[in-house]
Amino acid sequence: MHAYPQTTRGGTSGAFSIILERLYAMARQTDPSLGDPADLEASLSALPAENRGQVMLVLESVESRAEARADGELAEAARMVRHAAKQVWSHEGCGSLR
């Protein structure tokens, strides 16, 4: 298991938690036995390969829109999850991701 970034600012931590909760809910649709909701790597791995591109597009959109609204915490959280997804999925050999 990889260590993923621990957020230090409250706003980023809250935004990160919300994104993580949504990914966990999506992943549980595929893998109902998925364990700890705080395990980002497991949630990302459980997402079907055919949905991963869409997840990346959504994270990029969230990051871009948050930056446009000067919401640095949300932008940082989306960026951290996007980078973690790239790392996890590249180790699984899922080809190129944005």
Side-chain angles (χ1 to χ4, degrees):
M1 182 185 306
H2 298 100
Y4 290 100
Q6 296 296 317
T7 58
T8 55
R9 291 183 293 180
T12 302
S13 179
F16 183 82
S17 295
I18 291 168
I19 293 170
L20 183 56
E21 287 171 14
R22 303 310 290 153
L23 287 172
Y24 179 77
M26 289 173 53
R28 289 250 342 190
Q29 292 176 358
T30 303
D31 183 0
S33 66
L34 191 60
D36 183 6
D39 187 345
L40 177 58
E41 182 177 1
S43 292
L44 290 168
S45 292
L47 290 171
E50 62 270 9
N51 295 353
R52 293 174 180 183
Q54 184 66 28
V55 168
M56 292 299 280
L57 289 173
V58 168
L59 289 169
E60 288 173 357
S61 177
V62 167
E63 181 181 348
S64 176
R65 290 176 185 208
E67 287 173 345
R69 291 190 327 249
D71 186 344
E73 289 86 6
L74 180 56
E76 183 179 346
R79 188 171 27 260
M80 288 186 327
V81 174
R82 193 167 48 83
H83 288 303
K86 284 181 184 179
Q87 201 173 30
V88 169
W89 295 336
S90 69
H91 288 313
E92 292 179 4
C94 289
S96 94
L97 294 170
R98 296 177 153 279

